[in-house]
Amino acid sequence: MPLLDLAEHAQQLRTLARDFETLHARVRDVSYTPGTDALRQISPLLLMTQDLTATVLVRLGALDSSTYTSVAGSRASLECLASVVVASSLAGNDLASALHANPYEGASFPGYPADDASVRTARHAEAIPKMTGHLADAAHQLDLSATGCHYVATGITRDLAATQVQRRSR
């Protein structure tokens, strides 16, 4: 890939960072009631996180197979982008963990008594702090993902400018 395309990569990473920031805000501000509502509110956030993880993985592959790898300082950017893959994946795991902690309202096995209102209230009260913790962790990982994308975009821009200065001085 020619060096000129690196400016486009940097712009795509800035856009990806904004997408992570938007998702971070949505996760941080999600409002739900435990049970079916939580599933409906959190599931789309998990799917978006998975999409962003796939996108950042594609960006990492594109940079790794480009001429950028011959630019001084590129290794740090590639390693940082790999850490964004990890952070985004962890955010997805945290969202999935929130769904796992969610108290679903299915029927018990035959022969077991159905939950009464007090048992249901206790299950919800126990689940809410767990779910809140997982959602906070997901928001933190999404924030790290956005920061990493900004960092790599800035690094590419800086490295590209330094390469152009070196060419002019020859």
Side-chain angles (χ1 to χ4, degrees):
M1 173 186 314
L3 284 177
L4 295 177
D5 289 343
L6 290 176
E8 177 62 27
H9 276 286
Q11 185 54 45
Q12 289 170 344
L13 287 169
R14 284 184 190 91
T15 300
L16 190 56
R18 287 189 296 275
D19 292 343
F20 275 118
E21 290 166 348
T22 299
L23 184 54
H24 166 260
R26 287 189 60 189
V27 168
R28 186 192 62 224
D29 297 339
V30 68
S31 176
Y32 63 91
T33 302
T36 302
D37 182 57
L39 180 62
R40 287 187 183 136
Q41 298 301 320
I42 298 170
S43 293
L45 302 174
L46 174 56
L47 293 172
M48 286 193 237
T49 301
Q50 291 172 331
D51 285 345
L52 290 176
T53 302
T55 301
V56 75
L57 187 56
V58 168
R59 295 276 43 95
L60 175 60
L63 282 176
D64 184 59
S65 63
S66 74
T67 57
Y68 181 61
T69 58
S70 64
V71 174
S74 62
R75 183 183 309 154
S77 292
L78 292 169
E79 289 173 353
C80 183
L81 202 51
S83 75
V84 172
V85 172
V86 172
S88 181
S89 295
L90 289 172
N93 186 61
D94 290 325
L95 290 167
S97 293
L99 290 175
H100 181 257
N102 186 29
Y104 297 96
E105 302 300 329
S108 300
F109 286 109
Y112 287 89
D115 291 346
D116 63 13
S118 64
V119 170
R120 189 169 161 236
T121 300
R123 285 179 53 229
H124 284 216
E126 183 180 316
I128 289 171
K130 291 178 186 177
M131 294 175 71
T132 300
H134 290 305
L135 291 169
D137 290 345
H140 175 69
Q141 294 297 333
L142 292 167
D143 186 44
L144 291 175
S145 298
T147 300
C149 287
H150 281 301
Y151 179 81
V152 175
T154 300
I156 290 170
T157 302
R158 182 196 61 237
D159 295 341
L160 186 57
T163 301
Q164 290 172 347
V165 167
Q166 287 175 354
R167 284 186 181 163
R168 286 186 214 138
S169 65
R170 289 183 194 168

